[in-house]
Amino acid sequence: MDLSLSLYDLLQIQLHNEETLFIWSGDSIQGKVDWNTVSRMLLTLLQKGALSDMELEHGQMQKHEMLEELKQRSLQDWLQIKPVAQVDTIDSQKSLFEGCVQMQDSNSNKIAITCQDTQVVLGELSYRDVLLFIVRNLQSQEGQNETVH
């Protein structure tokens, strides 16, 4: 994602994507944006009054004013208010075990899987993925054991 992208456009992309989005600067990953990031972004902007001095109408901001403010603010503006977490990456040639160790060491729930040569993000490894892998392999082994009897 480009740092000049408006927060409104970022929300639109996130709505249609549902995955983690990576922020690039030059050839390196600068951070990531997911639904947790978007939620924190909106709450922080509201708490800091960064969404200007919008009038409240029955306890809620006027929607059109909030949308205009999000269209005028860029991802770069957001990063100046609250930097996003650094992205932990692992080379695609590493083992699943090494990925788990790295997630545990970095106290992260997800890490980006990158190509060693190009540093392009190929995907993401999460604890959910690891659990699904284990469950599916246990199920397949259980099926094999049943056929042996």
Side-chain angles (χ1 to χ4, degrees):
M1 289 188 313
D2 187 333
L3 293 175
S4 64
L5 190 68
S6 76
L7 297 181
Y8 177 81
D9 291 336
L10 173 65
L11 290 171
Q12 292 298 316
I13 291 169
Q14 188 67 40
L15 280 171
H16 297 302
N17 191 5
E18 296 289 328
E19 297 292 326
T20 299
L21 305 171
F22 294 96
I23 303 167
W24 289 85
S25 179
D27 291 339
S28 63
I29 303 171
Q30 297 298 309
K32 64 182 177 179
V33 176
D34 57 16
W35 278 113
N36 291 330
T37 309
V38 170
S39 299
R40 284 192 313 272
M41 175 186 67
L42 292 173
L43 290 173
T44 300
L45 289 173
L46 289 169
Q47 289 171 348
K48 290 187 179 243
L51 286 177
S52 75
D53 297 324
M54 295 181 207
E55 294 180 22
L56 295 179
E57 185 175 298
H58 304 293
Q60 294 184 351
M61 261 194 266
Q62 294 178 2
K63 290 179 185 177
H64 69 279
E65 289 179 14
M66 184 174 183
L67 288 175
E68 284 305 311
E69 194 73 26
L70 290 171
K71 287 178 183 178
Q72 293 174 7
R73 292 193 178 272
S74 69
L75 182 55
Q76 182 69 46
D77 295 338
W78 162 247
L79 294 176
Q80 291 173 355
I81 294 171
K82 185 150 180 118
V84 293
Q86 291 297 317
V87 177
D88 292 312
T89 63
I90 189 165
D91 182 78
S92 61
Q93 300 301 312
K94 299 284 184 178
S95 70
L96 182 60
F97 178 77
E98 289 171 299
C100 292
V101 169
Q102 187 169 334
M103 280 192 289
Q104 183 178 6
D105 289 347
S106 65
N107 198 25
S108 179
N109 294 329
K110 298 177 185 177
I111 56 174
I113 303 167
T114 58
C115 174
Q116 183 177 12
D117 298 332
T118 63
Q119 290 303 304
V120 170
V121 176
L122 302 174
E124 193 173 54
L125 177 65
S126 69
Y127 280 123
R128 180 182 183 273
D129 298 325
V130 174
L131 289 172
L132 286 172
F133 176 81
I134 292 169
V135 167
R136 288 179 180 145
N137 279 301
L138 287 175
Q139 287 175 339
S140 67
Q141 285 193 2
E142 191 174 275
Q144 290 174 357
N145 290 342
E146 289 176 7
T147 58
V148 172
H149 288 31

